[in-house]
Amino acid sequence: DRIDAGPCLWRRFEGRARAFYSAWYLVPKAPTTRSGWTLQRFQTLVPTAGAGDGAGEGGNAGVALDADGGAGGEGPLTDGPEGEWRSVISLGMRSLPDGALALYVFDHSREHLRLPIAVPPPILPEGRWFHLEVLYEAAPEPEGGLAVWLDGRPVYTAVGRNLGDGSNVTFAVCNAGESGEEEPTEVFVDDVVVSRIRATPAGRLAP
């Protein structure tokens, strides 16, 4: 399993099998990363018998995670009394041979792993705000899947994934390399939106 080295800010939602998750990002200086750098993560919890956190549809308030993915020792990547994490999907950036940053999608399931980089590659601009939006369908296979937009342009689609039943989904914004040896980099995040319809870069909710 991959272990990210860096913080995430997360929020858990219940009863949202289908939702759009978006945020604005700014990377002032492109990092040189041999593997990848996580910007967003989605996780689905499979509850254990009798488990429950008492949270409503809005979920729990976000907290900063430790470098190992935990919050106070336990976090979205840690199995515990509430259940087990069965699906984890990350969106991140990786360096191309020419130094540009490309957006990638990584499914932590061994059946899928990293999606091929789209053609043409979805390039993340350096020193300029960009908008990242994801439709996350938390449903069993074959209905489960996701779609990704970069600055309003569709760049990735993944279908036929087992992403749970939507009863408990965690969404996180991150600044996390895949190794503790990676040099730290600045990532700014603003205007995070979770909605039942698209937010779009223009800020107008669209069906």
Side-chain angles (χ1 to χ4, degrees):
D1 295 335
R2 292 153 29 115
I3 299 178
D4 288 338
C8 291
L9 188 69
W10 61 274
R11 186 167 181 133
R12 185 176 300 166
F13 299 91
E14 293 185 348
R16 294 199 179 182
R18 185 180 192 273
F20 293 86
Y21 303 81
S22 65
W24 285 91
Y25 289 85
L26 172 64
V27 182
K29 183 179 180 181
T32 301
T33 171
R34 297 183 299 273
S35 49
W37 205 277
T38 301
L39 297 175
Q40 286 188 5
R41 180 184 293 127
F42 298 87
Q43 301 171 189
T44 301
L45 181 71
V46 178
T48 54
D53 60 6
E57 182 178 355
N60 297 333
V63 298
L65 301 188
D66 297 333
D68 62 356
E74 293 186 6
L77 286 180
T78 303
D79 295 342
E82 295 177 348
E84 298 178 350
W85 295 105
R86 290 303 190 191
S87 67
V88 181
I89 292 181
S90 300
L91 280 73
M93 53 187 179
R94 62 180 303 187
S95 301
L96 298 180
D98 62 1
L101 289 177
L103 177 70
Y104 69 84
V105 177
F106 188 92
D107 187 335
H108 292 243
S109 167
R110 291 184 175 88
E111 298 177 359
H112 301 289
L113 301 179
R114 194 189 304 272
L115 271 66
I117 295 292
V119 179
I123 301 300
L124 302 178
E126 180 180 356
R128 176 178 70 79
W129 287 94
F130 60 89
H131 188 256
L132 189 59
E133 185 161 18
V134 178
L135 167 60
Y136 190 78
E137 300 264 10
E141 189 177 357
E143 287 80 12
L146 70 155
V148 182
W149 291 263
L150 174 60
D151 285 335
R153 179 172 62 92
V155 290
Y156 287 108
T157 301
V159 297
R161 306 300 171 101
N162 184 9
L163 302 182
D165 59 4
S167 60
N168 204 318
V169 176
T170 292
F171 167 60
V173 293
C174 305
N175 178 12
E178 293 179 8
S179 169
E181 298 178 356
E182 301 280 9
E183 291 293 329
T185 189
E186 284 188 320
V187 176
F188 295 89
V189 184
D190 200 4
D191 292 341
V192 179
V193 175
V194 179
S195 62
R196 299 187 187 279
I197 57 178
R198 283 192 62 200
T200 76
R204 302 185 183 92
L205 295 178

